[in-house]
């Protein structure tokens, strides 16, 4: 590390994010928030996919006026990671993908930092690179992490040192070799999915301040403030109590702002210029390569059924391209392994799910967490099996889908769900019976073909066995309520649902409830992460417990004051009422000041504060060899989608006319928000069928921008999006609720592929479903 000393305010003009005129003076947004001593950071990134770092010369960068410090991997002899601690703060001995950070420059403006970053000279020795996960899993593949056996790893993740395999999950149930001869129909094929990006509207931004006292504050757009505090504190040697993470509303996450990506670099650079906050902002191009992406997948899958359409056996191998570092990706692969059958009861299963290091950007959490990837192949095979035995695809799914009480692939008993009801709702919504023969609806033009497809899904919250949530409920003098949580608002409506849960459990109007923001690890109650579609369920349970705790205190106080049994009291619209004496006591003032004794001879009570927590205690380990165990996950959410579309045979262009979706959410705390998730998820899932992050033969990204990387826009959205809600209460959800935020896009791509086959009779095993690919197949 090298540092230059100077006055806090450099001579260079700070970058202007926004300003307003106040008495003729420009007010800089950054200055208002962080003061004139704010510095800016830029990263020096590797141009090579795989290379040894021979030397780094930072001298020319330090000579640039306005540069305050340059940090490299030599300054940090540590790694960081969630489930597998495999990522250096800055690359030290080798780089493993194009874009791997090797240094960070701190300067008085972003432009100066960028200029100086170009002057950092790095000498590399290129190494053979590997980009395909199947090739990377072979014994003779270039080894990306020779020290894999020395990395700290969670006790449920199983890397294979001496290889590029960072996780291998095995699933064995029954005997597939005995089952195959009994099958009347077997489909076996290979399916491929590319890397795709989250493309949040708001890019990753972090500001870090390392004070001379040792106190560190990180402001960042994050789904995981507490996890970031934990991981960065461990990696950087900071006492947890000295590291504070503040995270306001998140402008789009989709999993890309979970765990730690670029935030640690801001903290590392701030350590070099103590007393000055350092702002690090990803450009749109850096979002594509310098944060995280959804893992690519190669799936070899074989499934068979008998003549009556009963599934008998499945054998699958999943090779996930985890990218250069797999600290989060290993758990995605584990989730794919213990859910490898999709939402089907199959008595004989052999599954192997591999997370494989490749010389590509870091694969990590994305909406669906491995489930969109595995459903892509499974749901197309189910259609093919149904066709082979002459059964309707929807009926085939009704027959074989998981049902309440089934002993599923891991040996776990399936919690209460109704997937058949979801199938019934979506088939009705698209007039499913009209998909063949004379009943088939006419296309809009002679050169177009119309088709309908269906796909179903399941997904469990993929997380450690003990992720906790906590909440506080406290009152103001006028009886309005503050709910304090550590869960994050991503636009999914978490704060709205939390406010509803608190209001219902307390017995006060919803309008009285405020949810405290921003999330601040110094003051907010603990929350593991806002991921896994778990907030309504887990945080909801904690908030409900906190509200019920406050309610008990209130009823006990009033019962003592009235000399009545608390069982005879209730709270309605913010007023304590007695069903026995018919007395009333407003909550106003009493929830802070308490209630007076007779003749005001003293007081009883005091400020009411409710405490609540929730953590599942029943999830068990799974056997290393078989993946069997009593309780693999907390629960599953299930759902179905049906798609009606047209294919232009002259161009290959696909127009999705209608997507119908239905999900079993246990209990819809807010039906409007559930339907909003269904609508947004349908478009997101549709977009994922046409997206692909592309790389050249040297691992360099070809389309890291919103010109060449197309996502679905309002112009591409289906003409109709139909949503239905099924409610089969979950045993431990608040009023039976379970999450649905990710599930709504899991099966969209295979539903589209099945509809395309119904329209033109051609199958596609590889995403994306580009117009060019479809047109060429038609020829």
């Amino acid at each position: 590390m090298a540092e230059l000393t100077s006055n806090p305010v450099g001579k260079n003009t700070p970058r202007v994010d926004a300003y307003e005129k106040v008495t003729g003076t420009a007010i800089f947004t950054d200055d208002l928030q962080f003061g004139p001593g704010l510095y800016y950071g830029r990263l020096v990134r590797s141009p090579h996919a795989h290379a040894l770092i021979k030397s780094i010369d930072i001298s020319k960068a330090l000579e640039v006026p306005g540069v305050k410090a340059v940090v490299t991997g030599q300054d940090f002899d540590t790694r960081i990671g969630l489930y597998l601690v495999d990522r250096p703060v800055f690359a030290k001995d080798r780089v493993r993908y194009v874009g791997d950070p090797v240094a960070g420059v701190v300067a008085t403006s972003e432009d100066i930092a960028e200029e100086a970053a170009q002057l950092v000279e790095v000498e590399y020795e290129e190494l053979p690179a590997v980009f395909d996960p199947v090739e990377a899993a072979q014994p003779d593949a270039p080894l990306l992490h020779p020290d894999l056996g020395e990395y700290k790893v969670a006790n449920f993740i199983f890397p294979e040192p001496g290889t590029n395999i960072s996780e291998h999950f095995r699933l064995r149930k029954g005997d597939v070799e005995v089952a195959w001869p009994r099958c009347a129909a077997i489909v076996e094929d290979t399916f491929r999915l590319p890397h795709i990006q989250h493309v949040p509207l708001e890019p990753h931004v972090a500001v870090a301040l390392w004070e001379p006292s040792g106190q560190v504050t990180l402001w960042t757009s994050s789904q995981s403030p507490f996890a970031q505090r934990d991981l960065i504190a461990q990696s950087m040697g900071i006492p947890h109590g000295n590291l504070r993470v503040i995270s306001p509303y998140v402008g789009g996450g989709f999993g890309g702002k979970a765990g730690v990506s670029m935030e640690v670099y801001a903290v590392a650079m701030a350590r070099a210029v103590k007393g000055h906050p350092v702002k690090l902002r990803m450009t749109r191009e850096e979002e594509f390569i310098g944060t995280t992406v959804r893992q690519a997948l190669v799936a070899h899958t074989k499934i068979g059924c008998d003549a009556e359409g009963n599934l008998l056996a499945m054998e699958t191998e999943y090779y996930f391209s985890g990218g250069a570092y797999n600290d989060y990706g290993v758990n995605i692969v584990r989730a794919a392994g213990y859910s490898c059958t999709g939402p089907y009861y199959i008595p004989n299963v052999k599954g192997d799910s591999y997370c494989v290091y490749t010389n590509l950007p870091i694969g990590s959490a994305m909406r669906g967490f491995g489930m969109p990837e595995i459903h892509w192949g499974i749901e197309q095979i189910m259609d093919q099996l149904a066709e082979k035995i002459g059964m309707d695809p929807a009926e085939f799914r009704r027959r074989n889908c998981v049902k309440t009480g089934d002993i599923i692939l891991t040996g776990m008993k399936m919690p209460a769900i109704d997937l058949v009801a979801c199938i019934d709702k979506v088939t009705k919504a698209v007039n499913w019976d009209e998909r063949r023969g004379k009943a088939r609806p006419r296309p809009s033009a002679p050169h177009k073909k119309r088709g309908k497809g269906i796909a179903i899904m399941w997904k469990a919250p993929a997380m450690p066995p003990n992720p906790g949530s906590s909440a506080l409920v406290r009152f103001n003098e006028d009886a309005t309520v503050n709910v304090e949580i550590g869960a994050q608002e991503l636009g999914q409506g978490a704060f709205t649902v939390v406010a509803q849960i608190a209001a219902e459990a307390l017995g006060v109007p919803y309008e009285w409830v405020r949810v405290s923001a921003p999330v601040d690890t110094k003051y907010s109650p603990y929350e593991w992460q806002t991921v896994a579609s778990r907030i309504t369920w887990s945080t909801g349970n904690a908030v409900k417990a906190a509200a019920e705790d406050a309610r008990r205190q209130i009823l006990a106080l009033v019962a003592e004051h009235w000399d009545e049994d608390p069982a005879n009291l209730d709270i309605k619209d913010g007023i304590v009422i007695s069903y026995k004496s018919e007395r009333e006591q407003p909550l106003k003032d009493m929830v802070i000041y308490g209630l007076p004794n007779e003749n005001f001879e003293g007081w009883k009570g005091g400020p009411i504060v409710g405490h609540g927590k929730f953590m599942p205690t029943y999830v068990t380990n799974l056997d290393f060899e078989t993946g069997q165990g009593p309780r693999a996950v907390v629960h599953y959410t299930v759902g179905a989608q049906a798609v009606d579309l047209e294919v232009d045979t002259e161009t290959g262009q696909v127009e999705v006319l209608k997507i119908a979706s239905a999900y079993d959410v246990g209990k819809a705390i807010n039906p409007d928000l559930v339907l909003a998730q269904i609508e947004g998820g349908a478009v997101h899932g549709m977009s994922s069928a046409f997206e692909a992050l592309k790389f050249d033969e040297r691992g360099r990204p070809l389309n890291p921008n919103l010109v060449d990387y197309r996502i679905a826009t309002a112009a591409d959205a289906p003409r109709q999006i139909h949503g239905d809600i099924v409610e089969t209460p979950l045993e431990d959800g608040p009023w039976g609720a379970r999450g649905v935020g990710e599930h709504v896009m899991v099966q969209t791509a295979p539903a589209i592929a099945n509809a395309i086959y119904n329209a033109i009779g051609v199958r596609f095993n590889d995403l994306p479903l580009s117009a060019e690919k479809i047109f060429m197949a038609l020829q």
Side-chain angles (χ1 to χ4, degrees):
M1 175 180 65
E3 179 180 355
L4 299 180
T5 59
S6 69
N7 292 328
V9 182
K11 65 179 182 179
N12 299 91
T13 304
R15 175 179 171 272
V16 181
D17 287 327
Y19 70 92
E20 60 179 316
K21 295 292 184 179
V22 180
T23 63
T25 303
I27 305 297
F28 294 92
T29 302
D30 288 347
D31 286 355
L32 286 174
Q33 178 74 30
F34 302 107
L38 176 69
Y39 291 160
Y40 295 84
R42 293 298 293 151
L43 299 176
V44 180
R45 297 184 179 275
S46 166
H48 303 295
H50 195 198
L52 296 177
I53 300 174
K54 306 300 290 184
S55 66
I56 300 180
D57 184 352
I58 62 175
S59 58
K60 291 181 181 178
L62 290 171
E63 292 172 357
V64 176
V67 170
K68 299 300 177 181
V70 179
V71 296
T72 71
Q74 298 301 318
D75 300 311
F76 306 96
D77 189 22
T78 185
R79 298 187 186 94
I80 192 167
L82 183 60
Y83 298 106
L84 176 64
V85 185
D86 67 349
R87 179 157 62 100
V89 175
F90 286 97
K92 186 176 180 181
D93 301 316
R94 72 170 68 199
V95 292
R96 297 178 172 90
Y97 72 101
V98 173
D100 207 350
V102 297
V105 178
V106 183
T108 53
S109 77
E110 196 172 56
D111 290 340
I112 294 173
E114 180 65 35
E115 176 190 348
Q118 303 297 322
L119 298 176
V120 174
E121 297 177 352
V122 186
E123 181 185 355
Y124 297 96
E125 179 185 319
E126 282 199 73
L127 298 172
V130 60
F131 306 113
D132 182 272
V134 178
E135 294 177 11
Q138 303 310 307
D140 59 349
L143 197 60
L144 274 65
H145 288 263
D147 300 329
L148 177 58
E150 301 174 11
Y151 296 167
K152 182 180 177 182
V153 61
N155 65 3
F156 49 84
I157 300 299
F158 302 103
E160 297 183 359
T163 75
N164 288 319
I165 298 171
S166 58
E167 159 69 347
H168 180 189
F169 184 91
R170 299 168 174 85
L171 196 291
R172 305 290 187 268
K173 178 187 178 186
D175 191 333
V176 293
E177 297 307 324
V178 172
W180 292 127
R182 297 165 45 209
C183 294
I186 296 174
V187 175
E188 182 175 6
D189 221 329
T190 298
F191 301 87
R192 292 177 177 270
L193 295 90
H195 293 284
I196 64 174
Q197 225 279 326
H198 310 79
V199 197
L201 181 63
E202 170 203 48
H204 283 68
V205 182
V207 178
L209 171 63
W210 194 304
E211 298 181 48
S213 65
Q215 295 292 321
V216 182
T217 304
L218 173 66
W219 294 265
T220 182
S221 174
S222 173
Q223 296 177 233
S224 312
F226 286 91
Q228 287 184 351
R229 180 187 66 174
D230 181 35
L231 299 179
I232 294 173
Q234 290 187 53
S235 177
M236 303 288 290
I238 307 169
H240 283 68
N242 284 13
L243 177 55
R244 177 185 181 188
V245 180
I246 302 172
S247 185
Y249 296 126
V250 175
F254 314 111
K257 292 174 182 171
V260 174
S261 61
M262 49 72 74
E263 299 81 11
V264 68
Y265 304 126
V267 177
M269 288 189 280
R271 192 179 77 171
V273 289
K274 292 178 180 177
H276 289 267
V278 177
K279 179 177 181 179
L280 180 62
R281 177 185 63 88
M282 296 294 98
T283 65
R284 181 55 64 184
E285 290 74 15
E286 285 179 303
E287 279 292 315
F288 281 96
I289 63 167
T291 56
T292 60
V293 297
R294 191 176 82 177
Q295 296 173 318
L297 172 67
V298 178
H300 305 302
T301 303
K302 177 182 178 182
I303 305 176
C305 68
D306 64 19
E308 287 71 44
N310 300 300
L311 291 170
L312 297 181
M314 175 182 188
E315 188 168 349
T316 192
E317 288 182 328
Y318 296 140
Y319 291 89
F320 283 86
S321 174
Y325 306 103
N326 295 178
D327 76 297
Y328 213 137
V330 289
N331 198 41
I332 300 170
V333 174
R334 181 176 187 267
Y338 62 62
S339 300
C340 68
T341 58
Y344 296 97
Y345 175 76
I346 305 178
N348 302 285
V349 184
K350 180 183 179 183
D352 289 278
S353 189
Y354 300 94
C355 190
V356 187
Y357 287 119
T358 54
N359 293 115
L360 290 168
I362 301 169
S364 190
M366 186 174 179
R367 194 178 192 181
F369 210 77
M371 296 304 101
E373 296 94 298
I374 70 171
H375 283 73
W376 168 243
I378 293 169
E379 284 305 292
Q380 291 198 72
I381 288 179
M382 294 305 171
D383 259 34
Q384 294 174 71
L385 286 172
E387 185 177 30
K388 278 179 174 285
I389 63 168
M391 183 177 287
D392 178 80
E395 186 56 37
F396 188 85
R397 288 171 169 83
R398 291 187 184 95
R399 176 182 287 262
N400 289 290
C401 69
V402 289
K403 299 173 179 68
T404 302
D406 282 351
I407 303 302
I408 59 174
L409 71 165
T410 58
M412 168 181 158
K413 184 178 180 180
M414 188 68 183
I417 47 96
D418 193 348
L419 185 46
V420 171
C422 297
I423 296 170
D424 291 344
K425 286 181 179 293
V426 300
T427 52
K428 180 181 179 181
V430 298
N431 299 316
W432 181 255
D433 293 337
E434 298 177 0
R435 67 191 293 269
R436 292 193 182 279
K438 294 181 179 180
R440 183 195 292 264
R442 290 177 178 270
S444 62
H447 61 281
K448 294 185 177 182
K449 301 281 189 179
R450 191 161 176 180
K452 297 180 182 181
I454 189 171
I456 62 176
M457 62 73 61
W458 72 349
K459 183 190 179 298
M463 54 194 186
N466 59 338
S469 299
S470 57
L472 293 174
V473 169
R474 58 182 180 83
F475 286 86
N476 301 309
E477 290 84 348
D478 62 357
T480 55
V481 181
N482 288 98
V483 177
E484 298 176 10
I485 57 173
Q488 185 59 279
E489 177 59 65
L490 314 175
Q492 83 280 41
F495 286 6
T496 300
V497 167
V498 161
Q500 288 182 263
I501 289 172
E504 180 70 19
L506 279 170
V508 302
Y510 165 77
E511 293 77 13
W512 289 14
V513 181
R514 303 289 183 271
V515 180
S516 297
V519 177
D520 185 335
T521 59
K522 187 174 181 178
Y523 301 109
S524 302
Y526 177 83
E527 181 63 60
W528 176 62
Q529 295 187 83
T530 303
V531 297
S533 302
R534 59 182 286 279
I535 297 305
T536 295
W537 165 72
S538 184
T539 309
N541 273 326
V543 170
K544 186 171 183 283
E548 289 171 344
D549 180 39
R551 178 187 175 90
R552 281 191 295 270
Q553 296 176 48
I554 293 167
L555 294 182
L557 173 61
V558 176
E560 179 187 354
H561 188 62
W562 288 344
D563 193 24
E564 293 194 29
D565 186 341
N568 294 325
L569 306 184
D570 201 354
I571 304 176
K572 296 288 186 181
D573 294 324
I575 299 173
V576 181
I577 60 174
S578 169
Y579 293 118
K580 181 179 180 181
S581 65
E582 298 187 355
R583 284 188 282 189
E584 295 184 354
Q585 171 63 54
L587 296 183
K588 183 179 179 182
D589 292 333
M590 68 151 287
V591 289
I592 295 294
Y593 303 123
L595 293 170
N597 296 327
E598 188 174 356
N599 296 322
F600 290 90
E601 297 291 339
W603 290 71
K604 61 177 72 72
I608 300 293
V609 180
H611 299 76
K613 64 179 181 179
F614 176 78
M615 185 183 78
T617 58
Y618 44 77
V619 175
T620 61
N621 282 335
L622 301 178
D623 184 82
F624 168 71
E625 294 293 341
T626 66
Q628 298 297 303
R631 189 70 179 258
V633 296
V634 291
H635 59 258
Y636 280 93
T637 297
V638 298
Q641 277 186 332
V643 171
D644 184 3
L645 55 72
E646 283 187 340
V647 180
D648 188 325
T649 60
E650 293 181 350
T651 65
Q653 191 71 34
V654 174
E655 182 182 3
V656 179
L657 305 175
K658 184 174 185 176
I659 298 179
S661 308
Y663 295 89
D664 190 338
V665 302
K667 173 65 178 178
I669 301 295
N670 188 312
D672 286 345
L673 284 177
V674 173
L675 293 174
Q677 286 286 357
I678 286 174
E679 291 175 5
V683 177
H684 192 181
M686 182 190 77
S687 187
S688 73
F690 303 99
E691 295 178 32
L693 187 54
K694 300 176 182 179
F695 302 88
D696 68 12
E697 69 281 356
R698 299 186 63 186
R700 295 174 297 195
L702 296 173
N703 57 336
N705 56 73
L706 293 181
V707 174
D708 301 310
Y709 186 98
R710 281 290 316 278
I711 62 172
T713 66
D716 305 303
R719 297 179 188 177
Q720 289 181 276
I721 302 176
H722 175 90
D724 270 308
I725 296 170
V726 175
E727 295 181 308
T728 307
L730 179 67
E731 58 186 354
D732 67 346
W735 293 282
R738 57 167 71 87
V740 73
E742 296 173 83
H743 312 78
V744 289
M745 56 87 67
V746 164
Q747 75 277 41
T748 317
I752 290 172
N754 288 335
I756 290 173
Y757 177 78
N758 179 239
I760 63 174
V762 180
R763 286 234 166 251
F764 298 92
N765 289 6
D766 301 349
L767 287 175
L769 296 171
S770 65
E772 179 185 16
K773 183 184 293 183
I774 294 171
F775 176 78
M776 295 303 295
L778 284 169
Q779 304 312 304

